Amino acid sequence: MGVTFVLFVGLAAGHFGMAIEPHVLTFLRDFGLILFIFFIGLQVGPSFFSSFKSARHHPQWACCRCHCALHLGDDFALGTHSGPD
């Protein structure tokens, strides 16, 4: 009885016509997404950041810098930077 059991219970409930109110369904969907991203970060985060320490010029480091620079440049060019007024 693990994650697979939860999946099958949800499938069975939907098959037999169990209906959930829309605002509860929206909350559960958003909460599930938040938990998913949080636990993926817990699992992958330590190895991702430790790779920055091991190699200064690692491709992940270069990709991260380019990504940040491009998005920061877009924000300033479009005037959407949310800095102090």
Side-chain angles (χ1 to χ4, degrees):
M1 296 234 197
V3 175
T4 307
F5 179 72
V6 174
L7 175 67
F8 284 123
V9 167
L11 288 171
H15 174 74
F16 291 115
M18 181 180 170
I20 300 175
E21 295 182 28
H23 69 279
V24 174
L25 190 60
T26 302
F27 169 76
L28 290 175
R29 185 186 61 216
D30 293 344
F31 187 65
L33 179 63
I34 289 168
L35 284 179
F36 174 75
I37 292 174
F38 175 73
F39 284 113
I40 291 294
L42 280 180
Q43 184 177 4
V44 178
S47 63
F48 179 75
F49 288 109
S50 69
S51 71
F52 288 145
K53 294 179 187 175
S54 64
R56 190 78 174 148
H57 299 289
H58 199 273
Q60 288 173 330
W61 181 243
C63 182
C64 184
R65 286 188 294 181
C66 289
H67 183 77
C68 290
L70 288 174
H71 281 288
L72 190 61
D74 287 346
D75 287 347
F76 280 116
L78 297 173
T80 58
H81 179 67
S82 59
D85 292 334

